[in-house]
């Protein structure tokens, strides 16, 4: 029996006190007659810090100050200093002799705008079809237009009709009350987007024809180097309990007086660990590749299951709580639950049978 585990005498004494509170009306069995079964619970957790080293070539815009980073020759051979433990954030290194400042292929930090191809604007059609007449019924006196162009040198602004049958003086043939009020006889109107100039300023380059180079961000040069990174990540592994918590009191065992052992890297398992607990823990204690540090948390608690004589419907669970006293919990056993379920099912079946026969 491990240190701190309740003895049989302590368990029976706590059970007698518990039973005495409920025996004022009728006598019950003595704790000495109860069958005691010990459940040695084990819950373990292994947290490792595993190291990973990576290397890549980086390119950054402009001149990058790398003087604050440590230098290495071979990444796998780099030894961490006493204050270099990359737990919260990775440790970034620079490979010796790989830092170079080179010009960007853009030349000046800017590139030709892809939207306008360096023209500073986008071409646009100066005139658009009139939305009032759709360019079909522009003027009722179309024969008087003769060889006039379909649109004037600068198309008129789009107008609108006050009434459905409204007509205005045609600017092409000068016939009163014959032309569409939207285009005044021309069939097309001035483009509102470019104001009939045929050009729309390019938005991405703001009319400059060039945009900032996305590679060098306008610096015109790049800094390249081989970057090494060392990073430690935490990996937590839970040890499957060899004996699960009794579900009848599983939530209450959190208040139990669990014996807790914390082991660091290289620490042996506790000497008083039982062979079954040792067998459950040892497969999870093998070192992983890149493992640098380890913390093992072992929690142990003994729960005593007491079964009253001549009855398998009830069970009592006894465990030591955090105040040092033994807590006793009375629960319906699995067998008792099964019998209750069968009894209820039988009653329901009987009621249904009576209903069927009385119809």
């Amino acid at each position: 029996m491990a240190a701190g585990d309740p003895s049989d005498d302590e368990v029976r004494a706590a059970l007698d006190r518990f039973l005495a509170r409920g025996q004022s009306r009728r006598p019950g069995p003595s704790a000495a007659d109860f069958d005691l079964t010990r459940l040695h619970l084990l819950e373990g957790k292994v947290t490792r810090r595993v190291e990973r080293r990576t290397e890549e070539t980086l390119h950054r815009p402009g001149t990058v100050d790398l003087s604050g980073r440590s230098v290495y020759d071979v990444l796998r051979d780099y030894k961490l200093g006493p204050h270099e433990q990359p737990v919260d954030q990775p440790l970034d290194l620079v490979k010796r002799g790989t830092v170079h400042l080179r010009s960007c292929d853009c030349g000046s930090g800017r590139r030709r705008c892809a939207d306008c191809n360096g023209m500073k604007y986008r071409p646009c059609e100066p005139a658009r079809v009139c939305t009032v007449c759709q360019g079909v019924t522009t003027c009722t006196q179309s024969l008087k237009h003769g060889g006039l162009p379909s649109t004037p040198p600068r198309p008129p602004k789009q107008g609108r009709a006050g009434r459905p049958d409204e007509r205005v003086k045609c600017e092409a043939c000068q016939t009163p009350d014959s032309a569409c009020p939207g285009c005044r006889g021309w069939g097309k109107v001035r483009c509102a987007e470019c104001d009939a100039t045929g050009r729309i300023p390019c938005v991405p380059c703001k009319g400059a024809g060039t945009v900032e180079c996305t590679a060098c961000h306008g610096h015109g040069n790049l800094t390249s180097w081989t970057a090494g990174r060392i990073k430690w990540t935490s990996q937590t592994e839970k040890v499957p309990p060899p004996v699960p918590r009794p579900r009848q009191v599983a939530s209450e065992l959190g208040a139990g007086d669990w014996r807790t052992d914390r082991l660091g890297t290289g620490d042996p398992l506790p000497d008083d660990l039982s062979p079954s607990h040792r067998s459950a823990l040892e497969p999870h204690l093998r070192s992983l590749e890149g493992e640098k540090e380890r913390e093992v948390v072992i929690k142990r608690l003994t729960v005593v299951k007491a079964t009253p004589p001549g009855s398998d419907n009830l069970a009592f669970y006894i465990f030591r709580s955090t105040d040092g006293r033994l807590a006793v919990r009375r629960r319906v056993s699995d067998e008792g639950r099964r019998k209750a379920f069968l009894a209820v099912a039988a009653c329901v079946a009987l009621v249904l049978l009576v209903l069927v026969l009385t119809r």
Side-chain angles (χ1 to χ4, degrees):
M1 186 171 62
D5 283 1
S7 65
D8 287 356
D9 291 340
E10 288 180 289
V11 170
R12 296 189 188 279
L15 194 55
D16 271 333
R17 289 192 296 270
F18 182 85
L19 295 173
R21 294 199 297 266
Q23 291 180 357
S24 57
R25 296 181 181 178
R26 54 189 177 88
S30 170
D33 299 325
F34 277 61
D35 182 30
L36 304 183
T37 303
R38 291 180 175 270
L39 307 174
H40 299 288
L41 305 184
L42 169 74
E43 295 183 0
K45 182 174 66 174
V46 183
T47 301
R48 297 177 173 88
R49 286 177 177 171
V50 180
E51 181 184 89
R52 184 169 178 246
R53 300 192 178 201
T54 57
E55 192 175 57
E56 63 178 330
T57 300
L58 299 179
H59 308 281
R60 294 292 181 265
T63 303
V64 181
D65 183 13
L66 301 172
S67 59
R69 301 188 183 184
S70 300
V71 179
Y72 71 94
D73 294 304
V74 180
L75 185 59
R76 67 173 179 272
D77 296 336
Y78 182 83
K79 294 183 179 180
L80 294 172
H83 303 293
E84 292 180 329
Q85 288 193 351
V87 179
D88 298 325
Q89 60 182 13
L91 176 65
D92 291 316
L93 310 170
V94 178
K95 189 171 184 178
R96 193 187 310 275
T98 62
V99 181
H100 300 288
L101 182 65
R102 62 177 179 83
S103 297
C104 181
D105 58 5
C106 67
S108 62
R110 300 188 68 83
R111 295 184 183 274
R112 179 184 296 178
C113 176
D115 281 61
C116 67
N117 199 27
M119 296 175 62
K120 303 181 181 180
Y121 64 88
R122 290 190 293 109
C124 181
E125 181 64 38
R128 304 286 175 89
V129 175
C130 174
T131 58
V132 178
C133 67
Q134 300 299 320
V136 178
T137 57
T138 59
C139 179
T140 58
Q141 305 296 323
S142 58
L143 294 177
K144 292 184 178 182
H145 280 245
L148 291 175
S150 59
T151 57
R154 184 173 176 81
K157 289 185 177 180
Q158 173 81 49
R160 60 182 179 179
R163 0 178 250 284
D165 58 345
E166 180 184 359
R167 285 282 164 172
V168 298
K169 179 181 178 180
C170 178
E171 292 186 1
C173 67
Q174 304 300 311
T175 303
D177 300 326
S178 65
C180 165
C183 61
R184 297 188 289 279
W186 293 106
K188 292 187 178 182
V189 295
R190 186 183 307 175
C191 173
E193 193 173 1
C194 69
D195 197 30
T197 62
R199 296 181 176 185
I200 300 176
C202 181
V203 175
C205 69
K206 300 179 180 179
T210 60
V211 294
E212 184 180 277
C213 175
T214 56
C216 68
H217 294 284
H219 290 277
N221 52 39
L222 297 165
T223 301
S224 302
W225 74 96
T226 300
R229 169 168 285 194
I230 303 176
K231 185 178 182 180
W232 287 8
T233 57
S234 294
Q235 299 181 10
T236 300
E237 177 185 5
K238 288 187 177 181
V239 178
V243 178
R245 291 188 182 192
R247 62 179 182 82
Q248 291 86 348
V249 291
S251 60
E252 299 176 71
L253 292 181
D257 187 20
W258 292 80
R259 176 180 175 180
T260 303
D261 295 287
R262 296 182 180 274
L263 311 178
T265 305
D267 290 342
L269 292 174
D271 293 335
D272 62 345
L273 201 64
S274 67
S276 61
H277 286 178
R278 189 177 296 272
S279 298
L281 284 167
E282 285 177 344
H284 301 274
L285 301 180
R286 299 187 182 96
S287 295
L288 299 181
E289 182 180 357
E291 181 180 323
K292 296 300 179 182
E293 291 182 355
R294 173 193 298 181
E295 182 187 48
V296 181
V297 179
I298 303 172
K299 297 173 62 178
R300 288 176 282 172
L301 178 69
T302 296
V303 178
V304 180
K305 179 181 178 181
T307 305
S311 172
D312 54 1
N313 297 331
L314 293 177
F316 295 81
Y317 294 89
I318 302 95
F319 58 91
R320 195 177 298 281
S321 59
T322 52
D323 60 4
R325 300 178 181 179
L326 292 184
V328 181
R329 299 291 183 265
R330 181 177 182 267
R331 295 291 184 267
V332 177
S333 66
D334 291 337
E335 181 64 20
R337 291 176 183 272
R338 189 183 71 83
K339 290 180 179 178
F341 174 78
L342 293 176
V344 172
C347 291
V348 171
L350 181 60
V351 170
L352 293 176
L353 179 61
V354 171
L355 292 175
V356 170
L357 295 177
T358 56
R359 283 187 178 182

